[in-house]
């Protein structure tokens, strides 16, 4: 979507007809992932110690952790379509969405709340929270969560980044303060669902998700709560970080952004 950090890994998807048509069985995916891992090691010459085949996750992957070009390979074609759909939000206002999502993602890692396996948020969830907030305050226009207007295999042209101006930085700081305050205090997380399908209109009762402290609906796979692993204690810790950041968001995000720019390419 044009919002990757310098140290983000590359998410790759192998597209086959049976997966695109949602007819690929779980066992077929597991067998294929094992085969892909073998090919990466035997043919591509990647060291086995840098490769890990993860079959127990919701989306089985081959993970390469090499320092030069870390990547994940999966057969998760819905993720390709989902990225293309979210990219439309980015292009509504790149001068806001790109830097805000990048800074919030980097900030969340720096303060220790971006660690999905440990019960915190994921970078994907941070993006959904950011877009949800920008829709709520009228910066972005809601999009219907449909793939009808997307090509069978979306193309990704080179991303153009925003022009870093003083006006852009001021606006970014104001929106960051609003974002932190909104999710620290204003958003009724005990009742509502963060949903790009129904922004501001969907409740936990509607979804049967009352057991989750934080509910963030995956826009194109709405049966999934991207925060299903977040406990009450973790959500309290996240909101505490949001509240603390609200007072000094512009300075905090500027420091994060300068650190990001200083990282070696």
């Amino acid at each position: 979507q044009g919002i990757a950090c310098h140290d983000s890994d590359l998410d790759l998807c192998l597209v086959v007809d049976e997966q695109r048509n949602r007819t690929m069985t779980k066992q077929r995916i597991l067998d294929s992932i094992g085969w892909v891992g073998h090919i990466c090691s035997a043919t591509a010459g990647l060291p086995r110690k840098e490769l890990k085949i993860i079959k127990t996750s919701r989306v089985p992957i081959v993970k390469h952790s090499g320092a030069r070009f870390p990547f994940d390979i999966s057969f998760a074609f819905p993720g390709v379509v989902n990225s293309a759909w979210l990219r439309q939000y980015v292009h509504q206002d790149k001068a806001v969405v790109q830097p805000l999502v990048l800074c919030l993602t980097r900030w969340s890692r720096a303060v220790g709340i971006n660690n999905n396996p440990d019960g915190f948020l994921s970078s994907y969830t941070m993006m959904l929270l950011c877009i949800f907030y920008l829709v709520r305050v009228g910066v972005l226009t809601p999009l219907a969560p449909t793939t009808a207007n997307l090509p069978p295999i979306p193309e990704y042209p080179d991303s153009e980044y925003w022009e870093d101006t003083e006006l852009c930085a001021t606006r970014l700081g104001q929106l960051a303060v609003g974002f932190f305050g909104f999710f620290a205090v204003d958003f009724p997380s005990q009742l509502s669902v963060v949903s790009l399908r129904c922004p501001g209109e969907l409740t936990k009762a509607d979804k049967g998700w009352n057991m989750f402290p934080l509910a963030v609906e995956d826009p194109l796979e709405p049966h999934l709560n991207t925060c299903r692993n977040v406990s009450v204690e973790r959500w309290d810790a996240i909101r505490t970080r949001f509240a603390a950041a609200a007072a000094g968001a512009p300075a905090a995000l500027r420091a994060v952004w300068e650190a990001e720019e200083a990282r070696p390419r």
Side-chain angles (χ1 to χ4, degrees):
Q1 302 103 336
I3 53 170
C5 297
H6 293 317
D7 60 350
S8 296
D9 61 1
L10 181 63
D11 292 324
L12 303 172
C13 177
L14 296 178
V15 179
V16 295
D17 287 340
E18 56 185 313
Q19 174 66 347
R20 190 166 56 192
N21 298 330
R22 298 179 182 269
T23 60
M24 195 172 189
T25 66
K26 181 74 170 183
Q27 188 57 51
R28 170 77 165 148
I29 292 174
L30 293 175
D31 292 343
S32 299
I33 281 294
W35 173 78
V36 170
H38 174 74
I39 292 296
C40 288
S41 176
T43 304
L46 298 176
R48 292 193 64 86
K49 66 179 181 180
E50 296 180 356
L51 288 169
K52 186 176 183 180
I53 300 174
I54 304 175
K55 295 185 176 183
T56 56
S57 59
R58 187 180 70 85
V59 178
I61 61 172
V62 173
K63 188 174 189 66
H64 176 245
S65 57
R68 291 183 57 193
F69 54 101
F71 61 79
D72 297 340
I73 302 178
S74 74
F75 287 90
F77 181 70
V80 177
V81 179
N82 198 20
S83 293
W85 183 74
L86 289 172
R87 189 183 182 89
Q88 297 178 74
Y89 273 114
V90 175
H91 281 258
Q92 281 191 32
D93 194 339
K94 287 187 290 186
V96 167
V97 183
Q98 280 184 332
L100 189 58
V101 171
L102 281 169
C103 286
L104 289 175
T105 299
R106 177 64 69 185
W107 170 85
S108 65
R109 292 176 182 173
V111 300
I113 61 170
N114 188 328
N115 188 344
N116 184 250
D118 197 32
F120 286 102
L121 307 177
S122 65
S123 296
Y124 178 55
T125 294
M126 286 298 297
M127 180 179 184
L128 295 179
L129 293 178
C130 182
I131 292 176
F132 179 81
Y133 170 72
L134 293 176
V135 169
R136 287 290 294 267
V137 298
V139 173
L140 298 178
T141 302
L143 298 174
T146 176
T147 61
N149 297 325
L150 297 176
I153 301 180
E155 296 182 0
Y156 292 91
D158 292 339
S159 295
E160 296 180 359
Y161 284 82
W162 72 97
E163 183 179 353
D164 188 6
T165 65
E166 183 176 349
L167 178 61
C168 177
T170 300
R171 188 183 183 204
L172 176 62
Q174 293 169 342
L175 288 170
V177 171
F179 170 88
F180 288 128
F182 177 74
F183 283 108
V185 178
D186 298 333
F187 179 69
S189 59
Q190 71 278 13
L191 298 174
S192 298
V193 175
V194 173
S195 171
L196 295 182
R197 291 189 312 116
C198 312
E201 302 174 5
L202 196 62
T203 68
K204 288 183 177 179
D206 294 331
K207 302 282 294 183
W209 285 357
N210 290 317
M211 74 291 291
F212 297 120
L214 177 61
V216 179
E217 182 188 67
D218 190 296
L220 293 183
E221 295 186 87
H223 61 286
L224 293 177
N225 174 14
T226 69
C227 292
R228 58 192 176 277
N229 295 327
V230 176
S231 65
V232 173
E233 293 76 18
R234 290 290 195 247
W235 176 226
D236 286 343
I238 292 166
R239 283 195 300 180
T240 297
R241 289 294 190 181
F242 283 164
L253 291 186
R254 172 57 66 181
V256 167
W257 185 249
E258 289 175 351
E260 172 71 10
E261 286 294 287
R263 294 176 67 88
R265 282 6 184 217

